[in-house]
Amino acid sequence: MRKKILTAIATMGYFLCIAQNPIIQTIYTADPAPLVHNDTVYLYTGHDEDASTWFTMKDWHCYTTTDMVNWTDRGAVLSLKDFSWAKKDAWAGQAIYRNDKFYWYVPMNHSTMGMSIGVAISTSPYGPFTDALGKPLVHSGNGDIDPGVFIDDDSQAYLYWGNPYLKYVKLNEDMISYSGDVISVPLNETGFSKRMKDADKRPSEYEEGPWIYKRKKLYYLAYPAGGVPEHLAYSTGPTATGPWTYRDTIMPVIKKGGAFTNHPGIIDYKGRSYLFYHNGALPGGGGFNRSVCVEEFTYHADGSIPRITNTTEGVRPVSFLNPFIRQEAETIAWEEGIETAKDSVGASGIFVTDISNNDYIKVRSADFRKGAKKFSVSVSDIKGGTIEIHADSKDGMLLGTLSVTPAGGSMQSCSLKKIKGVHDIYFVFKGSNHNMFNFDWWQFK
């Protein structure tokens, strides 16, 4: 992404010190769909192309975390090219795990029918995902977008979607077909509150992007609401199909750094509850260049969701990062200037690239325990440069400097000042070359 754009934040020192939102800075991301599986959060997102003047989206990306603050880039794991029938518009979808497989429901503009919902399948959360049907799973009208999927306690799966309507089907156990009719949900005042913008000519506040889940004995349906600019709201019901009762706003319209749309994703992870959403807060961002964020919240005793304010601070770590095992260079809490790319050969997967002078990567809450004395990296395509390792800020205590030279080979190391305890770590890149080297992984010893 955006060398020129990101240099605009270089002078915003206070912002850089506290920023954790948006959680991805290397590209514009939208429509978050978090999935908790095997103690890991898999975050599936849409991807707004740079400098878009419409919702120009061609692929979907995946990021993972086990601490909620450091996110590992897994690359573009699904794209329009994977669907022979799709023409454009890789918009908001959601993935779910069942039967030892991952099913990803995504809307696209069909070459002849307009917006339709397809399903991709993989045995791995990282893909490769393939079109399960070779055709849409659902096409019911002119607003088949934003599918949300949910599996109830009795194993019945549901697929919700739609704008301006809200529809659902009961998925079969194979997750790639459904039984019965397409059901339209009544969008009345009781279920979704009265529409306040009369010019929109819609009966309720519901807009799009349904996110359905169950907590204790209550079913929740969260959604963007109210028209442009959207806020986030929710309704609850006694079953996965309602009847729905409107509850309240979750997140008001984001006035500073907003994107005029929003999109909820709600999970529980390691005993905490999180709301994922998107805004337009990155430099160059806006309604068509959005960025995913996350906030922690606590349900009220009656199960209601509090009003949640968007922040730049983001969330606290739920665990500490282990710097003594190999960590991917693309595991990032915050960065400035760098890009990520995928190895076309597939030998090393995703790596950090486009590294220039004063670019940096921040990694949060690394636990050095009794101390680290050595720092090692894997690098390639070396022109020459250095990595300064700083503690707790970009200009914090200098722990060591690694000179990355062509003669040093792919594995290079340096000694460190001994550091103990839990610290944020900044890898600050220095050198006169543009694209000094590609950075694959790092490890302290």
Side-chain angles (χ1 to χ4, degrees):
M1 188 173 142
R2 322 167 313 267
K3 278 283 182 180
K4 292 181 180 178
I5 294 174
L6 282 179
T7 54
I9 64 177
T11 59
M12 300 170 63
Y14 175 71
F15 180 73
L16 292 174
C17 289
I18 65 170
Q20 181 66 34
N21 275 327
I23 59 176
I24 308 299
Q25 307 92 42
T26 50
I27 63 171
Y28 295 115
T29 54
D31 305 321
L35 169 66
V36 179
H37 178 70
N38 286 351
D39 204 39
T40 296
V41 176
Y42 295 85
L43 176 62
Y44 297 98
T45 76
H47 170 209
D48 287 334
E49 295 291 325
D50 289 3
S52 293
T53 57
W54 179 243
F55 300 109
T56 307
M57 308 173 78
K58 301 177 182 179
D59 52 25
W60 296 268
H61 286 241
C62 178
Y63 302 86
T64 62
T65 188
T66 56
D67 58 24
M68 291 302 297
V69 294
N70 298 298
W71 292 89
T72 303
D73 188 344
R74 305 297 181 174
V77 294
L78 184 65
S79 79
L80 292 173
K81 296 178 181 179
D82 296 314
F83 299 88
S84 61
W85 49 270
K87 181 171 63 174
K88 60 180 181 177
D89 299 335
W91 289 358
Q94 185 181 355
I96 200 166
Y97 175 77
R98 188 174 195 175
N99 302 328
D100 297 322
K101 296 182 178 68
F102 295 85
Y103 300 87
W104 199 348
Y105 301 88
V106 286
M108 293 155 285
N109 209 312
H110 191 281
S111 57
T112 60
M113 294 190 299
M115 290 306 297
S116 306
I117 295 171
V119 55
I121 190 171
S122 177
T123 56
S124 166
Y126 309 119
F129 285 86
T130 58
D131 183 359
L133 297 173
K135 61 180 181 180
L137 169 64
V138 170
H139 177 77
S140 69
N142 296 319
D144 293 336
I145 66 170
D146 296 4
V149 62
F150 168 70
I151 302 174
D152 206 349
D153 296 338
D154 63 0
S155 297
Q156 176 63 60
Y158 298 85
L159 187 71
Y160 277 78
W161 73 90
N163 177 344
Y165 44 70
L166 175 59
K167 298 183 178 183
Y168 73 88
V169 293
K170 290 184 176 182
L171 294 170
N172 294 326
E173 190 173 350
D174 65 8
M175 301 296 283
I176 59 173
S177 64
Y178 63 89
S179 298
D181 296 329
V182 175
I183 306 298
S184 293
V185 177
L187 295 177
N188 52 40
E189 182 177 348
T190 298
F192 300 95
S193 190
K194 183 179 179 179
R195 191 78 161 197
M196 301 307 294
K197 297 185 178 76
D198 293 337
D200 289 339
K201 305 298 183 184
R202 299 192 187 191
S204 78
E205 287 281 87
Y206 172 83
E207 185 74 15
E208 58 190 357
W211 182 272
I212 183 171
Y213 65 100
K214 184 180 183 182
R215 180 179 181 269
K216 297 183 178 179
K217 296 182 179 181
L218 195 61
Y219 294 81
Y220 292 74
L221 183 61
Y223 46 90
V228 175
E230 292 175 342
H231 64 277
L232 300 181
Y234 78 108
S235 304
T236 60
T239 75
T241 59
W244 299 105
T245 300
Y246 175 76
R247 298 299 296 271
D248 203 352
T249 293
I250 299 174
M251 177 174 282
V253 170
I254 300 173
K255 295 182 179 180
K256 185 177 180 180
F260 77 75
T261 64
N262 208 334
H263 193 98
I266 299 174
I267 59 169
D268 287 336
Y269 182 61
K270 295 186 177 179
R272 301 181 188 178
S273 299
Y274 297 94
L275 169 69
F276 290 78
Y277 61 102
H278 67 227
N279 64 18
L282 278 186
F288 304 118
N289 291 111
R290 299 161 292 179
S291 296
V292 169
C293 303
V294 63
E295 308 291 349
E296 183 181 344
F297 71 95
T298 301
Y299 289 89
H300 293 308
D302 64 357
S304 60
I305 300 174
R307 291 285 178 98
I308 301 170
T309 303
N310 64 292
T311 71
T312 57
E313 293 89 345
V315 303
R316 304 167 294 159
V318 296
S319 60
F320 298 134
L321 183 139
N322 183 355
F324 299 111
I325 62 174
R326 170 175 159 167
Q327 297 287 351
E328 299 300 316
E330 63 276 11
T331 297
I332 298 168
W334 191 264
E335 59 83 15
E336 180 186 331
I338 62 96
E339 303 267 358
T340 59
K342 189 172 185 178
D343 186 350
S344 59
V345 180
S348 58
I350 309 297
F351 57 88
V352 169
T353 189
D354 201 19
I355 299 171
S356 298
N357 188 50
N358 283 326
D359 291 352
Y360 74 90
I361 293 171
K362 173 186 175 182
V363 178
R364 283 187 67 183
S365 303
D367 186 359
F368 289 94
R369 302 166 195 160
K370 295 183 179 180
K373 295 183 178 180
K374 186 178 180 182
F375 176 69
S376 299
V377 299
S378 173
V379 290
S380 62
D381 294 337
I382 302 165
K383 294 179 182 177
T386 62
I387 305 174
E388 293 182 355
I389 305 102
H390 292 263
D392 299 317
S393 73
K394 183 181 176 182
D395 300 314
M397 182 175 64
L398 180 63
L399 302 178
T401 300
L402 173 57
S403 295
V404 180
T405 65
S410 62
M411 297 286 294
Q412 302 193 26
S413 302
C414 71
S415 58
L416 298 172
K417 288 183 180 178
K418 193 171 183 180
I419 182 172
K420 299 179 180 180
V422 177
H423 298 269
D424 294 345
I425 297 298
Y426 289 71
F427 302 123
V428 182
F429 305 104
K430 301 287 187 178
S432 58
N433 292 307
H434 173 66
N435 207 3
M436 293 185 281
F437 47 84
N438 291 334
F439 187 13
D440 186 17
W441 56 263
W442 56 266
Q443 184 174 3
F444 287 84
K445 296 183 180 180

